[in-house]
């Protein structure tokens, strides 16, 4: 059974930094991609940053130059370094992982439980 456990959220002042971590546990064949999404109150969940198994990244425009996604393949862990945080970054941040359980088979998407990030002005 695959589980994603996020950590690193919290309360920070505008201009500050936080680093989120998401560790995947369970037996898989390989990872297709991992990423971070966020959902603010009353808003839809939106993509923040993703990274494929070959290191191709994609970022939401408003976080480019401030957030960096990285991955430790040996630990099946993805990180989100968030710098120069703004109040509009306040949201629950979720990680996801698109995984393969065997070769030449469809991938499956899993989500973490979410971690709150609050940026005060």
């Amino acid at each position: 059974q695959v589980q994603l456990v996020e950590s690193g959220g919290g309360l920070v002042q505008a201009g500050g930094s936080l680093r989120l971590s998401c560790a995947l546990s369970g037996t898989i064949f390989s990872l297709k991609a991992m990423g971070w999404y966020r959902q603010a109150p009353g808003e839809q969940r939106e993509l923040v940053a993703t990274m494929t198994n070959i290191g191709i990244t994609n970022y939401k425009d408003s976080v480019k130059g401030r957030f960096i996604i990285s991955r430790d393949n040996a630990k099946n862990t993805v990180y989100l370094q968030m710098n120069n945080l703004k109040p509009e970054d306040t949201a629950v941040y979720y990680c996801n992982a698109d995984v393969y359980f065997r070769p030449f088979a469809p991938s499956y998407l899993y989500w973490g439980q979410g971690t709150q990030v609050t940026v005060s002005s």
Side-chain angles (χ1 to χ4, degrees), residues 1-59:
Q1 182 177 356
V2 170
Q3 286 188 322
L4 298 173
V5 179
E6 298 129 332
S7 60
L11 173 64
V12 65
Q13 288 188 333
S17 298
L18 284 174
R19 188 189 193 213
L20 305 182
S21 300
C22 174
L24 182 152
S25 63
T27 302
I28 63 172
F29 175 70
S30 67
L31 273 168
K32 182 179 180 180
M34 292 186 80
W36 291 94
Y37 288 69
R38 69 187 183 188
Q39 187 168 17
E43 302 290 333
Q44 290 189 336
R45 191 172 297 188
E46 60 181 9
L47 179 149
V48 177
T50 60
M51 176 179 278
T52 70
N53 60 341
I54 57 172
I56 297 173
T57 59
N58 183 37
Y59 291 92

Side-chain angles (χ1 to χ4, degrees), residues 23-106:
L24 182 152
S25 63
T27 302
I28 63 172
F29 175 70
S30 67
L31 273 168
K32 182 179 180 180
M34 292 186 80
W36 291 94
Y37 288 69
R38 69 187 183 188
Q39 187 168 17
E43 302 290 333
Q44 290 189 336
R45 191 172 297 188
E46 60 181 9
L47 179 149
V48 177
T50 60
M51 176 179 278
T52 70
N53 60 341
I54 57 172
I56 297 173
T57 59
N58 183 37
Y59 291 92
K60 177 179 174 61
D61 284 345
S62 64
V63 308
K64 288 179 181 177
R66 300 189 296 123
F67 291 10
I68 301 172
I69 188 171
S70 61
R71 206 167 83 184
D72 184 332
N73 290 328
K75 296 181 180 179
N76 282 341
T77 298
V78 66
Y79 305 96
L80 185 67
Q81 177 67 43
M82 304 185 293
N83 301 318
N84 189 22
L85 282 159
K86 302 177 180 181
E88 52 264 41
D89 294 318
T90 295
V92 178
Y93 284 69
Y94 298 90
C95 79
N96 74 2
D98 206 357
V99 307
Y100 294 107
F101 290 103
R102 58 185 188 277
F104 312 111

